[in-house]
Amino acid sequence: MAIASIGYAVFSVNGPVALWSLAPNNRVLGAYTGLYTVASASGMALGPALLGATVDLTGWRYMFLNAAVFGAVTFAVFTLVARRAERPLATAS
C-alpha cells in the first residue's frame, strides 16, 4: 500500500506539469485540466473496481500480475498521448 501511495503521489505531482506542456496554447489549458480531473477521478473509481473484478476472475494469486497489466496499458496510453503532443499542429493558412 505504501509503494502504491508513493507511485500515485509521483504521478499526481507531475500530472499538472505534463498537462501544461501538452496543451498547445493557453486557451485550451482549462479544457486539458478538466479532462485530467475527469480522468483522474475515473481512474480512482474504476481502477480498484477493475482490479477487483480481475481478482474475482483469476484469484488473489495473480493480483500483482493483473495490476502490472493495467499499469502497462496505462503507460502505453500516456506514451501515445505524449507522442501525439510532440507532433506539430497543422496551421490553417
Side-chain angles (χ1 to χ4, degrees):
M1 187 67 88
I3 292 171
S5 298
I6 291 169
Y8 179 74
V10 170
F11 168 77
S12 64
V13 164
N14 290 323
V17 175
L19 279 177
W20 188 276
S21 63
L22 286 175
N25 57 38
N26 286 338
R27 293 177 57 202
V28 297
L29 187 58
Y32 274 57
T33 305
L35 290 172
Y36 170 77
T37 302
V38 169
S40 179
S42 298
M44 283 188 259
L46 294 176
L50 289 173
L51 186 59
T54 61
V55 167
D56 290 342
L57 293 172
T58 62
W60 284 102
R61 182 177 183 182
Y62 298 107
M63 185 191 78
F64 287 119
L65 179 63
N66 295 335
V69 169
F70 284 138
V73 169
T74 303
F75 178 75
V77 168
F78 279 115
T79 302
L80 178 67
V81 169
R83 285 188 181 163
R84 284 186 180 210
E86 289 176 0
R87 284 190 272 170
L89 296 173
T91 57
S93 341

